[in-house]
Amino acid sequence: MSYGKRVLTTRVGVEGLENLHEVEGHGLTVKDDIDGLIEEVSHDDKTNIYLELIQYVKKYYSLCVMCKKLDEFIDVVKQ
């Protein structure tokens, strides 16, 4: 996603990611059945999803955000 490429995965593949509703259907497709995966792979989608995916990654997984989360975790552990 950080490269702005369309992502096709299963529910297992997105475990642990936050706020997926923001990008699901806009560059992120989650299908758990083989027919659904095949349909999505063969679907010719010319939509430019680059900016939406980059924005999602920056919002939840940028270096700044991850450092803040690490600081919060360390504070909790110290208590």
Side-chain angles (χ1 to χ4, degrees), residues 7-44:
V7 176
L8 176 62
T9 188
T10 63
R11 286 276 162 214
V12 174
V14 295
E15 284 182 1
L17 295 179
E18 300 175 8
N19 299 306
L20 291 176
H21 64 278
E22 292 184 18
V23 288
E24 194 164 2
H26 301 280
L28 173 69
T29 303
V30 180
K31 298 284 183 181
D32 286 318
D33 61 292
I34 191 69
D35 292 331
L37 289 169
I38 291 170
E39 181 181 329
E40 287 298 322
V41 168
S42 62
H43 186 294
D44 188 20

Side-chain angles (χ1 to χ4, degrees), residues 53-66:
L53 292 174
I54 295 295
Q55 183 179 12
Y56 171 79
V57 171
K58 285 181 180 179
K59 186 175 181 179
Y60 296 105
Y61 298 99
S62 68
L63 181 59
C64 183
V65 170
M66 296 310 290

